[in-house]
């Protein structure tokens, strides 16, 4: 009897493993769309405040606030929609791999509320250092991307590594621009490496997602 | 695609009581002829996670032919576990398969049964 029950368990586990293999393909496609969404969101953050300020020059600070909020909400909602299946995939993976939900993941999920709180407080109270503080806070986003990629795939695909590296490079450029050079040109282009490489990552992920089906 | 030997079959044959009854109750709910196929259960589990998938995705998942997949989908739809829709796109009509509330209940059952079986085998 015990052997037979184990046999049934093995059959059910085999099915789960097969679905998890398929989910790698689905998740890589989802990451591909995610890179595109945030690449365009970052591009909008670079130019939208200036456009709003040009159209409504009476409150320059407001243009940044409005542009950042609108783009952030749209891109955030799109991200939630894109990854709605990722959480359910993790539930199945945890059952099969017999691991409990790590505390680190919970901490990362709970980090978003203070994250936005810090941004708003920095914008209101320490405006001269806002950009520097924002760059420091964005390090946590890069770490978040890293952990989410690790959770989605057993081995981070190459475009994922490029996305993390280019994001870090843009943060470093932003910090350099705000702390050392104060060059307007650098402020204008510090996020271009991220925008361009995430666009490339998106295309690469969408093109190579079927590779997981072959595996 | 092979048939699945269900736990309920084993339990009813062996007459094991007590501790196994919970597993039996769960597996009985899954012990439907429509779900006694690996392909159909694969489709249902995958739809449980993704909520909706395209026909081509399901072809890749199951590895069966188009006709066979249509047949599997028809059986699942007749049981009210999924809904098959034809969505107009720029490239023509696309088949999109969605899971229903009944299908979700079966998927949750499968998760519960799997986690209980694994937990049980870990305790042994």
């Amino acid at each position: 009897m015990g052997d037979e029950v184990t046999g049934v368990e093995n059959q059910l586990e085999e099915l789960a493993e097969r679905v998890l293999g398929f989910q790698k393909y689905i998740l890589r496609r989802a990451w591909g769309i995610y890179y595109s969404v945030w690449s365009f969101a970052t591009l909008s953050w670079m130019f939208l405040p200036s456009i709003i300020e040009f159209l409504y020059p009476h409150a320059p600070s407001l243009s940044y606030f409005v542009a950042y909020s609108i783009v952030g909400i749209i891109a955030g909602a799109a991200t939630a929609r894109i990854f709605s299946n990722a959480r359910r995939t993790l539930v199945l993976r945890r059952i099969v791999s017999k691991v409990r939900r790590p505390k680190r993941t919970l901490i990362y999920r709970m980090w978003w509320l203070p994250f936005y709180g810090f941004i708003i407080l920095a914008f209101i109270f320490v405006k001269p250092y806002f950009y520097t503080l924002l760059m420091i806070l964005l390090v946590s986003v890069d770490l978040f991307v890293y952990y989410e990629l690790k959770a989605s795939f057993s081995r981070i695909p190459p475009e994922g590594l490029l996305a993390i590296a280019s994001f870090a490079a843009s943060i470093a450029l932003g910090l350099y621009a705000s702390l050392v050079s104060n060059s307007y040109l650098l402020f204008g282009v510090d996020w271009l490496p991220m925008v361009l490489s995430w666009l490339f990552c998106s295309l690469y992920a969408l093109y190579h997602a079927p590779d997981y089906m072959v595996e | 695609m092979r048939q699945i030997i269900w736990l309920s079959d084993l339990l009813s044959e062996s007459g094991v009581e007590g501790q196994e009854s919970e597993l039996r109750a769960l597996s009985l709910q899954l012990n439907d002829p429509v779900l006694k196929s690996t392909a159909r259960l694969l489709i249902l589990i995958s739809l449980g996670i993704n909520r909706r998938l395209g026909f081509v995705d399901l072809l890749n998942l199951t590895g069966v032919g188009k006709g066979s997949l249509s047949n599997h989908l028809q059986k699942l739809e007749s049981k009210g576990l999924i809904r098959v829709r034809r969505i107009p796109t720029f490239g023509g009509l696309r088949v999109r398969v969605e899971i229903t509330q009944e299908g979700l209940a079966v998927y949750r059952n499968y998760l519960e049964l799997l986690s209980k079986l694994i937990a049980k085998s870990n305790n042994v």
Side-chain angles (χ1 to χ4, degrees), chain A residues 1 4-5 8-9 11-20 22-23 25-26 29 81 84-89 91-92 95-98 213, chain B residues 1-2 4-7 10-11 14 38 41-42 45-46 48-53 57 60-62 107 110-111 113-115 117-118 121-122:
Chain A
M1 174 66 198
E4 286 163 326
V5 173
V8 175
E9 182 198 326
Q11 278 187 335
L12 292 181
E13 269 193 80
E14 203 182 296
L15 279 181
E17 294 283 3
R18 194 155 162 189
V19 171
L20 287 174
F22 177 72
Q23 282 310 111
Y25 154 75
I26 296 281
R29 230 170 42 177
R81 175 134 175 75
S84 58
N85 54 0
R87 189 181 49 80
R88 292 188 289 266
T89 307
V91 171
L92 184 61
I95 291 172
V96 174
S97 59
K98 306 164 181 96
M213 295 308 302
Chain B
M1 285 278 168
R2 66 168 186 261
I4 292 171
I5 309 157
W6 279 111
L7 189 63
L10 296 174
L11 294 171
S14 64
T38 318
L41 201 58
L42 260 179
I45 297 165
S46 204
I49 295 175
N50 298 295
R51 299 301 192 247
R52 63 173 74 96
L53 285 168
D57 286 335
N60 287 330
L61 168 73
T62 54
Y107 164 68
Y110 158 81
L111 276 189
L113 181 60
L114 183 64
S115 61
L117 276 172
I118 289 175
S121 71
N122 285 348

Side-chain angles (χ1 to χ4, degrees), chain B:
Chain B
M1 285 278 168
R2 66 168 186 261
Q3 288 241 316
I4 292 171
I5 309 157
W6 279 111
L7 189 63
S8 56
D9 297 343
L10 296 174
L11 294 171
S12 57
E13 280 166 21
S14 64
V16 178
E17 293 297 327
Q19 207 178 10
E20 313 282 5
S21 61
E22 200 180 15
L23 288 177
R24 183 187 299 171
L26 273 171
S27 60
L28 268 174
Q29 287 171 51
L30 282 172
N31 193 24
D32 189 301
V34 172
L35 292 171
K36 274 193 168 181
S37 141
T38 318
R40 288 195 285 274
L41 201 58
L42 260 179
I43 292 167
L44 208 64
I45 297 165
S46 204
L47 282 171
I49 295 175
N50 298 295
R51 299 301 192 247
R52 63 173 74 96
L53 285 168
F55 190 82
V56 178
D57 286 335
L58 291 172
L59 276 178
N60 287 330
L61 168 73
T62 54
V64 299
K66 284 182 186 176
S68 179
L69 179 61
S70 297
N71 194 26
H72 286 307
L73 293 179
Q74 219 166 33
K75 283 185 179 164
L76 287 168
E77 195 175 25
S78 69
K79 197 77 188 164
L81 300 173
I82 61 162
R83 197 177 301 119
V84 180
R85 285 186 175 173
R86 274 153 193 86
I87 309 288
T89 65
F90 290 116
L93 279 181
R94 288 258 170 92
V95 175
R96 194 172 74 181
V97 185
E98 297 171 351
I99 194 162
T100 61
Q101 285 303 317
E102 289 88 344
L104 274 177
V106 173
Y107 164 68
R108 289 189 186 117
N109 238 331
Y110 158 81
L111 276 189
E112 206 177 330
L113 181 60
L114 183 64
S115 61
K116 281 190 173 168
L117 276 172
I118 289 175
K120 215 167 150 51
S121 71
N122 285 348
N123 291 337
V124 171

